[in-house]
């Protein structure tokens, strides 16, 4: 019974976290197809600036869909 309750609690928590995630198109406030560091921080205020910079894997100063989604799912 305890395992069932724990599993249900974890499932509810993960669903709530996913629902709270701002999607890429919403985060891309100017609609240019990339999320700037400023847009990422506005969409994900709990994420550190270092994490945002580290998510920019190609170092071009903006986040692609894949880079943003990887950051948002942390």
């Amino acid at each position: 019974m305890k395992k069932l309750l724990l599993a249900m609690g974890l499932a509810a928590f993960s669903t709530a976290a996913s629902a709270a995630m701002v999607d890429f198109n919403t985060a891309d406030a100017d609609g240019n197809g990339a999320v700037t560091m400023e847009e990422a921080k506005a969409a994900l205020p709990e994420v550190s600036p270092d994490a945002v910079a580290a998510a920019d894997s190609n170092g071009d100063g903006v986040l692609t869909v894949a880079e943003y989604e990887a950051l948002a799912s942390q």
Side-chain angles (χ1 to χ4, degrees), residues 26-70:
T26 302
D28 180 18
D30 63 7
N32 70 346
V35 172
T36 65
M37 297 302 164
E38 292 79 20
E39 289 171 330
K41 282 301 299 166
L44 305 167
E46 71 283 354
V47 176
S48 73
D50 289 338
V52 175
D56 181 18
S57 60
N58 63 3
D60 65 355
V62 296
L63 302 179
T64 64
V65 172
E67 291 169 337
Y68 176 81
E69 288 177 352

Side-chain angles (χ1 to χ4, degrees), residues 1-14:
M1 184 66 159
K2 287 182 181 179
K3 289 182 182 180
L4 176 61
L5 291 174
L6 177 62
M8 288 174 54
L10 290 174
F13 177 75
S14 65

